[in-house]
Each structure stands twice: as structure tokens, then as C-alpha cells.
């Protein structure tokens, strides 16, 4: 079988969100508090 | 053998207050979701923003207890991202950048994928026919097919979960599809919409 040789075979990188974005999301998740009062939900971020 | 915890299990753990579960979910779907968004918007920074907004929405919905467990997690997250991409283009009054040639179809990016009532009925009939014929398959093939199609798992994940090699999982999927075709022909089922 014919082989295909690529000049730039190591230049392909997987697109991923930055670690800072992930850290932000985890911090957001930890700080997010939802409180329900008389059927209404209130959102608060406790930083 | 490493057994991977399913998304639904992680979602449950997160709703019960385990913050590590959301980290696992974000990391698991990071590259897939980022790739999906990037393929639509073609901009690294914008991809990052939409990724962030998507998961903020996911976190809010899960914490509110508004997540419907019947659906699959990843397709749900993708749908949120898709809607945010459309919102972005509407807001900025511009169409997505696309570098391809003639074969480009704008409706593949911004089309309304809702079916009309008649097509919806046909789709439901097809889905129910499919479920019936899938049950006719041998158990090992059914298992791989359900994991691949309905749970959207990769063959590596299927291999980890079932304890068979990737090649065996691939083989089972192949036979499942061959057998499904035979069953469709034998039962004269029409699977088009």
C-alpha cells in the first residue's frame, strides 16, 4: 500500500478550552448559590 | 480495567453537590465541544467565550434542577452551544465565516432543524420501528449499538465499559449494522423521512 508522508505531521493540535477557562467555570460553579423564595429562584455569587 | 463513570452518573453527583463531577464532565467533553464551536465560528477567542457561556448555562440549569435526565448530556450541551452561536451571529448581524468553496451550504449552520408536524410523526414512527428491530439483535451487538448511537460514546469508551478490545467493539458495531439492514429488508420497513 502506498504510504503518505506529511511534512508537517506534528503541527496538528487538538482544540481545547484554556485551563484558565476551566478554572473560571469551576470557581463559578462553586460560588453559585440558588435560593428559592416563594416560588422565585434567586441567584447569587459568593466570591 | 478502568471503568468510566457515565455522564448521567456524574450529572447526578453534581446535582447532589459533588463539584468534582462538573470538572470531570467539562474535561471529558472539552475538546469535542471546543472543536464543534470552533468549526462554526472560526475564531479562537470567540470559541473560548462561547465555551464558557455554554458551561455557565449548563451549571445554572443543573443547579436549578431544571435538567431533564431523559436526554443525553453531550447532545444537550451541544444544543446550548449551537443556540449561543446563533445568538452571537444574530447580535452581530453577520454570517459565520467560512473558508470553503462552492459546496458550502449556509443552512447547515443556521438552519431551523425543527420538523413540521407530519415529518415529526414519520420520525416518531421510524424511531419506534428502529427500537423494535434493535431488540432483535444479539445482546452484545445491541449493547455496542446503544452505547455508540444513543449514548454517543467513543469506541474506546465502549471498550472500557464492556471489557472487550476496541477491534471487537468495532466488529460488533459492524455486524449490528449489517444485521439491522437485513432486518429492515426482511420486515419491509421504510426508514426515510
Amino acid at each position: 500500500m502506498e504510504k503518505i508522508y506529511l511534512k508537517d505531521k506534528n503541527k496538528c493540535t487538538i482544540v481545547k478550552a484554556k485551563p484558565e477557562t476551566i478554572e473560571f467555570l469551576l470557581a463559578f460553579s462553586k460560588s453559585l448559590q440558588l435560593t428559592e423564595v416563594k416560588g422565585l429562584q434567586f441567584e447569587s455569587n459568593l466570591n | 480495567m478502568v471503568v468510566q463513570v457515565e455522564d448521567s452518573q456524574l450529572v447526578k453527583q453534581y446535582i447532589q453537590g459533588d463539584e468534582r463531577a462538573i470538572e470531570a464532565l467539562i474535561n471529558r467533553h472539552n475538546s469535542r465541544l471546543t472543536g464543534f464551536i470552533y468549526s462554526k465560528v472560526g475564531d479562537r477567542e470567540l470559541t473560548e467565550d462561547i465555551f464558557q457561556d455554554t458551561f455557565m448555562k449548563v451549571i445554572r440549569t443543573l443547579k436549578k434542577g431544571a435538567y431533564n435526565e431523559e436526554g443525553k448530556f453531550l447532545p444537550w450541551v451541544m444544543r446550548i452551544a449551537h443556540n449561543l452561536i446563533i445568538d452571537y451571529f444574530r447580535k452581530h448581524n453577520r454570517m459565520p465565516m467560512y473558508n470553503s468553496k462552492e459546496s458550502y451550504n449556509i443552512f447547515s449552520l443556521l438552519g431551523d432543524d425543527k420538523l413540521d408536524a407530519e415529518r415529526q410523526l414519520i420520525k416518531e414512527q421510524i424511531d419506534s420501528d428502529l427500537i423494535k428491530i434493535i431488540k432483535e439483535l444479539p445482546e452484545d451487538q445491541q449493547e455496542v449499538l446503544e452505547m455508540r448511537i444513543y449514548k454517543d460514546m467513543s469506541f474506546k469508551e465502549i471498550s472500557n465499559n464492556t471489557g472487550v478490545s476496541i477491534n471487537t467493539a468495532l466488529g460488533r458495531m459492524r455486524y449490528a449494522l449489517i444485521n439491522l439492514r437485513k432486518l429492515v429488508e426482511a420486515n419491509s420497513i421504510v426508514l426515510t423521512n
Side-chain angles (χ1 to χ4, degrees):
Chain A
M1 201 170 74
E2 189 183 352
K3 284 185 180 172
I4 300 166
Y5 296 96
L6 299 173
K7 279 179 188 168
D8 301 326
K9 64 178 174 183
N10 293 325
K11 287 193 177 170
C12 175
T13 53
I14 297 167
V15 210
K16 268 188 162 188
K18 290 176 191 162
E20 301 92 272
T21 308
I22 312 282
E23 273 169 35
F24 169 82
L25 286 167
L26 298 179
F28 170 76
S29 168
K30 277 179 194 159
S31 65
L32 182 68
Q33 300 289 325
L34 289 160
T35 323
E36 199 172 321
V37 182
K38 290 178 185 171
L40 290 172
Q41 271 189 332
F42 294 95
E43 210 177 277
S44 53
N45 273 82
L46 306 171
N47 283 311
Chain B
M1 189 183 81
V2 182
V3 179
Q4 200 177 22
V5 185
E6 285 199 18
D7 286 352
S8 56
Q9 187 59 36
L10 287 169
V11 168
K12 225 176 256 173
Q13 287 173 11
Y14 179 62
I15 292 169
Q16 284 163 1
D18 182 358
E19 290 289 332
R20 287 169 306 170
I22 194 72
E23 186 174 2
L25 282 168
I26 294 173
N27 287 329
R28 181 178 291 177
H29 301 301
N30 185 346
S31 62
R32 207 151 173 188
L33 185 65
T34 310
F36 169 74
I37 300 167
Y38 187 74
S39 71
K40 306 282 186 216
V41 301
D43 179 274
R44 197 73 186 80
E45 291 303 313
L46 183 57
T47 299
E48 206 78 36
D49 288 347
I50 293 175
F51 180 92
Q52 189 173 296
D53 290 349
T54 303
F55 266 104
M56 282 172 77
K57 214 162 189 177
V58 166
I59 289 166
R60 274 199 190 98
T61 310
L62 293 179
K63 287 216 169 184
K64 277 180 190 166
Y67 174 64
N68 171 17
E69 274 184 67
E70 282 167 28
K72 290 179 283 173
F73 180 75
L74 184 62
W76 173 60
V77 176
M78 298 279 230
R79 241 182 353 259
I80 294 175
H82 184 254
N83 290 339
L84 286 172
I85 293 165
I86 292 175
D87 286 349
Y88 171 82
F89 286 124
R90 277 193 189 137
K91 215 171 177 178
H92 292 79
N93 205 14
R94 71 174 181 93
M95 298 309 260
M97 183 190 80
Y98 198 83
N99 297 325
S100 188
K101 308 277 169 355
E102 303 87 39
S103 58
Y104 170 52
N105 178 6
I106 186 68
F107 295 107
S108 66
L109 287 178
L110 291 173
D112 180 4
D113 53 6
K114 279 186 189 147
L115 299 171
D116 60 41
E118 191 188 345
R119 280 176 185 272
Q120 183 63 36
L121 276 175
I122 296 170
K123 188 183 174 297
E124 280 166 16
Q125 183 61 51
I126 290 170
D127 288 347
S128 90
D129 284 346
L130 254 180
I131 289 166
K132 272 182 214 155
I133 58 171
I134 286 171
K135 283 185 183 151
E136 303 278 318
L137 293 173
E139 222 165 88
D140 53 351
Q141 292 172 23
Q142 248 185 67
E143 188 182 39
V144 174
L145 190 95
E146 281 170 10
M147 285 180 172
R148 182 76 192 115
I149 307 290
Y150 293 105
K151 296 184 182 166
D152 206 25
M153 290 164 74
S154 67
F155 281 103
K156 195 173 174 218
E157 289 167 342
I158 294 171
S159 152
N160 286 337
N161 272 272
T162 54
V164 298
S165 68
I166 293 179
N167 275 340
T168 306
L170 280 164
R172 285 181 183 172
M173 182 71 191
R174 183 169 172 266
Y175 281 111
L177 294 176
I178 291 170
N179 288 331
L180 266 185
R181 275 192 203 109
K182 283 182 189 164
L183 284 165
V184 167
E185 278 172 24
N187 293 291
S188 310
I189 297 169
V190 182
L191 294 174
T192 50
N193 193 355

